[in-house]
Amino acid sequence: MQSHGFNREYSNYIKKVNPNPEKIIMSDEQLKNSLKKRYSFQDSDIFTHGRNYFQVAQLVYNSNEFKPYPILTLLALAIEHFFKSLDTENKTQKSNHPNNDEPFLIPPTYRQIQTNNKSGHDLYNLFDYFSKKDFELYQYINDQYSNQFDGNLKTLLERNRKLFEHTRYAYENAENHNHLADLQELYELTEFLYQTIEDLFKQNY
């Protein structure tokens, strides 16, 4: 997957998106195309990390060695990365080479992609961030999930908002058994987010 640099013009556009859902009424297809144009500039590195976590979770989920808690932890990390990938900035640092005045990238990182979604591991807050940042994106993901699964995305995320904290040290958290009941729904949600966001990012490949 190729990565694209940060485009401040489009970033400013996202910041100015009016959260009023009644302002413009668009069909699902029109909204999807609008979002694809808006996010075509977005750097996809964080999304790639999320995809990697999900692909490992898939392998374990579909294997004969079914391990629920590692799967839940990987799904939590994947969901977190998918949400964080939708608002990023290229913070690559430069310095002057000691032998000349030409700027060069500081090794070994070269590129420093940061998310502006600073909600930590809280899955509910990571998604709710977009209710104010980009309501059209927020509503699109909500509607697509409801149409596909006949469920409430916000309720599922609120119930599992601390999924990562509760499952990374499963032996310390009595709450983790609640997440086991949602394992299939969380797996389906992660797959849904992967496919939905990948579709918005397709121009980045």
Side-chain angles (χ1 to χ4, degrees):
M1 179 183 295
Q2 296 178 351
S3 298
H4 293 262
F6 178 72
N7 185 312
R8 190 163 300 280
E9 176 185 352
Y10 281 100
S11 174
N12 289 335
Y13 171 73
I14 289 179
K15 292 177 183 177
K16 295 176 182 177
V17 169
N18 191 327
N20 182 356
E22 298 179 357
K23 183 179 180 181
I24 299 176
I25 299 176
M26 291 187 284
S27 68
D28 286 348
E29 193 63 27
Q30 287 174 323
L31 179 56
K32 177 180 175 181
N33 290 334
S34 174
L35 291 170
K36 285 174 70 72
K37 290 177 182 178
R38 191 178 307 162
Y39 287 90
S40 62
F41 73 92
Q42 197 72 20
D43 192 287
S44 53
D45 276 7
I46 295 178
F47 175 81
T48 301
H49 285 296
R51 181 189 63 186
N52 292 343
Y53 283 123
F54 176 57
Q55 288 177 337
V56 175
Q58 277 185 309
L59 292 174
V60 184
Y61 187 86
N62 294 309
S63 74
N64 294 326
E65 298 293 327
F66 185 77
K67 307 290 185 184
Y69 289 117
I71 293 172
L72 286 168
T73 305
L74 289 166
L75 294 179
L77 287 168
I79 294 169
E80 176 183 332
H81 279 71
F82 290 154
F83 285 141
K84 288 182 175 180
S85 73
L86 289 164
D87 188 6
T88 63
E89 268 189 87
N90 187 334
K91 293 286 189 177
T92 300
Q93 297 185 32
K94 293 188 178 183
S95 180
N96 289 327
H97 193 280
N99 296 327
N100 57 53
D101 294 329
E102 292 298 320
F104 72 103
L105 299 178
I106 297 177
T109 57
Y110 294 100
R111 301 176 67 252
Q112 297 181 358
I113 306 304
Q114 297 182 7
T115 181
N116 293 315
N117 191 340
K118 306 296 185 182
S119 300
H121 302 300
D122 189 314
L123 300 185
Y124 180 86
N125 285 344
L126 284 165
F127 179 54
D128 190 61
Y129 168 86
F130 294 101
S131 67
K132 302 176 182 65
K133 180 70 175 183
D134 187 346
F135 187 85
E136 288 182 346
L137 175 67
Y138 177 80
Q139 194 64 49
Y140 177 75
I141 293 175
N142 240 326
D143 290 347
Q144 292 300 309
Y145 180 84
S146 297
N147 292 338
Q148 187 167 334
F149 297 102
D150 193 27
N152 190 305
L153 174 56
K154 291 189 291 183
T155 299
L156 179 62
L157 289 173
E158 185 167 22
R159 193 165 63 238
N160 293 279
R161 65 192 309 160
K162 293 189 175 183
L163 180 62
F164 178 70
E165 291 95 324
H166 287 171
T167 60
R168 61 179 172 177
Y169 303 129
Y171 51 85
E172 292 183 351
N173 294 286
E175 299 94 338
N176 64 63
H177 68 274
N178 296 322
H179 303 299
L180 289 174
D182 286 333
L183 194 153
Q184 183 175 346
E185 280 188 85
L186 290 166
Y187 180 87
E188 291 172 346
L189 166 62
T190 312
E191 186 173 42
F192 160 80
L193 289 173
Y194 167 52
Q195 293 171 347
T196 301
I197 298 173
E198 181 187 47
D199 195 31
L200 295 179
F201 281 177
K202 273 186 178 176
Q203 297 179 56
N204 292 10
Y205 288 81

